[in-house]
Amino acid sequence: MLYLTALYIHVISAILSIGPFFVLIPMLKKMRIATTHQEMTAYVSTFSLAITVVKHSGHVLILSGIYILWRGGYSIATPFIAMTITLLVFSIVFLARAFKPTMRTFNTTQYNQQYFVNKLTKSVWIYTILLLIMLWFMVTKPTLW
């Protein structure tokens, strides 16, 4: 029963780790054409909240994944798990470097709206693709070697 609960928590946290990005994509288009600072501030606040949700649900995702790995009898050398862990490390480093430094430029002299939105857009797509590849590994469990 505990294993199934952990699996359910794992799935929900996976949804919360990737879902906000599908809301951010259309919002980034609105950020690109925002004309007032007040409007942009609202978008940036929403964006920051979404990143916080993704980050914290990622923590739950990792912890539940470790429990499932342990209780499920999987080896860390299993191809789909090894590849997921490899991508996880890349995504953690990418998440830390992609969003926070860019978000910090808002309300500073370094801020340029178009550059800011372009950088966030690129980061959202890269991170989404990384997460989707990890999701593919976890769902299909391919035998790679």
Side-chain angles (χ1 to χ4, degrees):
M1 180 67 176
L2 191 56
Y3 178 83
L4 292 177
T5 302
L7 186 61
Y8 181 75
I9 289 169
H10 192 69
V11 169
I12 295 299
S13 60
I15 292 166
L16 289 173
S17 290
I18 198 167
F21 287 107
F22 292 102
V23 174
L24 293 179
I25 292 167
M27 191 177 79
L28 283 162
K29 292 177 183 177
K30 292 181 179 185
M31 288 173 78
R32 190 175 309 283
I33 59 171
T35 56
T36 66
H37 183 73
Q38 185 179 10
E39 186 180 8
M40 199 61 184
T41 301
Y43 289 136
V44 169
S45 295
T46 305
F47 198 97
S48 292
L49 178 64
I51 296 301
T52 301
V53 168
V54 166
K55 180 176 66 174
H56 292 306
S57 61
H59 296 142
V60 175
L61 184 67
I62 290 169
L63 291 174
S64 61
I66 290 169
Y67 179 79
I68 291 167
L69 182 71
W70 172 61
R71 293 292 293 159
Y74 291 105
S75 166
I76 200 165
T78 305
F80 75 93
I81 293 174
M83 291 302 295
T84 301
I85 291 170
T86 302
L87 285 175
L88 177 66
V89 170
F90 283 121
S91 70
I92 290 169
V93 171
F94 182 78
L95 184 64
R97 296 176 135 195
F99 296 106
K100 201 171 213 175
T102 304
M103 298 299 280
R104 284 186 181 155
T105 64
F106 187 68
N107 284 332
T108 67
T109 56
Q110 301 163 332
Y111 173 73
N112 174 298
Q113 182 174 343
Q114 293 309 310
Y115 178 77
F116 180 82
V117 174
N118 288 343
K119 195 160 181 179
L120 289 178
T121 302
K122 180 180 175 185
S123 297
V124 164
W125 279 109
I126 290 170
Y127 194 70
T128 302
I129 289 167
L130 281 171
L131 290 175
L132 288 173
I133 293 169
M134 283 189 282
L135 183 64
W136 180 77
F137 280 127
M138 290 287 104
V139 171
T140 63
K141 298 174 178 45
T143 304
L144 301 170
W145 58 78

